[in-house]
Amino acid sequence: MIRLSPKLSQKLSYILLFMATILAIVPVLVIMFLIVKNGASAISWEFLTSMPKDGMRSGGILPAIVGTFAIVMCAVVITLPIGVCAAIYLNEYAKDNFLTRVIKLAIVNLAGIPSVVYGLFGLGIFVMFFKLGVSIIAGALTLSIMELPVIITTSRNALNSVPKSFREVSLSLGVSRWQTIRHIVLPNALPGILTGTILSIARISGETAPILFTAAAFYVPHLPKSIFDQVMALPYHLYIISTQIPNMPKNIIYGTALVLMMMVLSISFVAIFARVYFRKHRKW
């Protein structure tokens, strides 16, 4: 058996890890390059701010942009308080027993369920059972269930990152547990909670299956007036114009994909900047 020197072994490991990183990054960069190259010609003020026309072969994608934004924001408003409160209970109050271990295991398993299953669940519960119909609120509730495990997990990690000494010092001064959580733990955990929330927004912004059954419409040439309206959404709209409409201009397809990609990337960059900003201003 050939024995390598520690220096050579370290160099080979570095090369292998570097090649693995390149193999992971290159396909993503190629996809992004092709989308930008083929879709940049379609991007214009009219494309971003007008209604679709001529069977969606021309005009703009404003209803799809507004519909995506409405569904995602409603989902965040529903999920964020529930997820943070659940994380606080599991991390700060719940005892380590069989029930809490089952709950934590269920949260982990929920994060791995395929998105199409969430879509069918939302169709059965929110659209049919609660009779909300195919609407913004039905899609938002479906996405909120899908987003909830991510919010809970990231919030728990953020709460765990706060040193226990902070809690001990606060409690030793006679402050109640809730006051300690509210004034000491949560402010220090807020950067991690916000970062996890923003990244979860980026994830659900590109989901198609959950809104396919609960919120998205094939064609709606107007903006929604309430949360009970059916809307167009960018992921589903991209699927429709790519597969269901013959003779669709190529630049319109790639332009729609470019808008969706830029929306998701913008949200991800916000998360990165927020993390960097809060880390610089952290006092511990």
Side-chain angles (χ1 to χ4, degrees):
M1 184 177 180
I2 301 175
R3 286 184 174 273
L4 300 176
S5 65
K7 186 175 293 186
L8 180 60
S9 177
Q10 180 178 346
K11 185 175 291 186
L12 287 174
S13 299
Y14 172 80
I15 292 172
L16 288 173
L17 291 173
F18 179 76
M19 292 301 297
T21 304
I22 294 298
L23 288 173
I25 293 175
V26 167
V28 177
L29 294 178
V30 170
I31 292 171
M32 292 174 64
F33 172 76
L34 290 175
I35 292 175
V36 173
K37 178 184 176 182
N38 296 306
S41 61
I43 303 300
S44 65
W45 183 250
E46 181 185 0
F47 183 71
L48 298 174
T49 60
S50 63
M51 303 295 172
K53 299 180 291 186
D54 190 25
M56 294 187 285
R57 293 183 181 88
S58 62
I61 56 172
L62 179 62
I65 295 174
V66 173
T68 302
F69 183 80
I71 295 170
V72 170
M73 289 300 102
C74 285
V76 173
V77 169
I78 294 169
T79 309
L80 187 57
I82 297 175
V84 173
C85 288
I88 291 173
Y89 172 76
L90 290 172
N91 199 73
E92 304 294 331
Y93 288 100
K95 297 180 179 179
D96 186 17
N97 52 35
F98 176 75
L99 179 60
T100 56
R101 287 195 292 270
V102 169
I103 293 173
K104 292 174 184 177
L105 180 62
I107 292 170
V108 173
N109 289 332
L110 280 173
I113 293 177
S115 58
V116 67
V117 176
Y118 285 104
L120 292 172
F121 175 81
L123 174 65
I125 297 296
F126 303 122
V127 175
M128 301 176 67
F129 183 78
F130 288 109
K131 301 186 185 301
L132 295 175
V134 179
S135 60
I136 293 174
I137 187 62
L141 287 168
T142 304
L143 286 178
S144 68
I145 295 175
M146 181 178 174
E147 187 185 19
L148 192 60
V150 179
I151 297 291
I152 294 175
T153 303
T154 55
S155 298
R156 286 191 63 218
N157 291 337
L159 293 168
N160 275 325
S161 69
V162 180
K164 290 185 178 180
S165 59
F166 285 23
R167 298 171 175 83
E168 292 170 355
V169 170
S170 178
L171 293 171
S172 68
L173 296 174
V175 178
S176 68
R177 178 177 288 188
W178 169 243
Q179 289 175 320
T180 299
I181 294 169
R182 181 182 174 185
H183 297 288
I184 303 297
V185 179
L186 271 180
N188 286 288
L190 188 60
I193 295 173
L194 287 177
T195 302
T197 301
I198 296 170
L199 290 175
S200 69
I201 293 173
R203 180 199 173 193
I204 64 174
S205 296
E207 289 291 344
T208 305
I211 60 174
L212 173 64
F213 306 107
T214 57
F218 183 90
Y219 178 63
V220 178
H222 57 79
L223 300 181
K225 297 179 181 178
S226 75
I227 59 173
F228 299 101
D229 287 347
Q230 193 175 9
V231 292
M232 296 176 67
L234 278 173
Y236 183 58
H237 179 66
L238 180 59
Y239 166 75
I240 290 297
I241 62 177
S242 301
T243 61
Q244 305 298 314
I245 300 178
N247 303 319
M248 188 71 191
K250 184 178 178 181
N251 66 329
I252 297 294
I253 297 174
Y254 279 97
T256 305
L258 179 58
V259 172
L260 179 59
M261 183 182 75
M262 293 307 297
M263 181 183 291
V264 174
L265 287 177
S266 299
I267 296 171
S268 300
F269 281 132
V270 169
I272 293 171
F273 288 132
R275 183 167 63 246
V276 172
Y277 174 81
F278 284 118
R279 279 182 177 175
K280 285 183 178 180
H281 290 77
R282 182 179 286 177
K283 297 180 180 180
W284 49 274

